Amino acid sequence: MLLADRHHGLMEGVRGLLETAFGTAFRVGDETSLIDGVERLQPSVTVVDLALAGGNWLQLLQTLRERSPAPKVIVLSMYDEFSVVHAAMGVGINGFILKRPIATDMLDTITSLLRGEPYVSPCIYASSEAKPAGQS
């Protein structure tokens, strides 16, 4: 697993959780290291914080998919707008979770992705009846 986020404290907590459940997890803190790490390590799952790219997050996700299409990619974000989720899923991202419920959503997300199912944080849809395919 590869974790990409500039916030060291948050990602270290997530890294510990993932290493306990799934084994080795590496952390990077910038876009260049993310792209290099995905190409070199070929992780089964990559977690990317949208804030890593500043305002150009969609381009980062497209580049990530172009350079390494195989790994499952989870977007981590503080944005809960459906338009952000839709845009990220539109470039081939497999999962989208919010930072607020990361402790409860991360393991569910990875488990779903490893079964081949997309995952979006349930709290994004809490006030809406519209859900993406694969969500119940």
Side-chain angles (χ1 to χ4, degrees):
M1 299 211 182
L2 182 63
L3 309 172
D5 191 318
R6 288 190 175 121
H7 303 102
H8 180 74
L10 175 66
M11 280 297 109
E12 281 305 307
V14 171
R15 180 179 170 182
L17 176 69
L18 295 178
E19 285 182 334
T20 299
F22 300 103
T24 304
F26 298 95
R27 193 186 78 77
V28 296
D30 61 74
E31 291 179 57
T32 303
S33 298
L34 168 62
I35 300 300
D36 290 345
V38 167
E39 289 177 336
R40 236 185 16 223
L41 299 171
Q42 294 296 307
S44 57
V45 176
T46 301
V47 178
V48 181
D49 181 6
L50 287 188
L52 186 73
N56 206 7
W57 60 267
L58 194 55
Q59 180 60 47
L60 174 62
L61 296 178
Q62 289 170 330
T63 301
L64 183 61
R65 273 304 185 215
E66 290 167 3
R67 298 277 183 93
S68 187
K72 304 293 185 191
V73 177
I74 300 168
V75 166
L76 176 61
S77 179
M78 61 183 205
Y79 304 107
D80 63 357
E81 294 89 16
F82 184 72
S83 61
V84 175
V85 176
H86 184 69
M89 301 300 263
V91 296
I93 301 311
N94 308 97
F96 195 103
I97 60 176
L98 299 177
K99 286 185 175 182
R100 281 178 279 135
I102 192 171
T104 57
D105 283 1
M106 183 61 75
L107 293 179
D108 289 343
T109 304
I110 293 172
T111 302
S112 291
L113 296 184
L114 293 176
R115 285 191 315 248
E117 301 168 1
Y119 187 94
V120 175
S121 285
C123 58
I124 292 173
Y125 299 102
S127 62
S128 170
E129 293 186 28
K131 295 185 180 189
Q135 295 288 304
S136 51

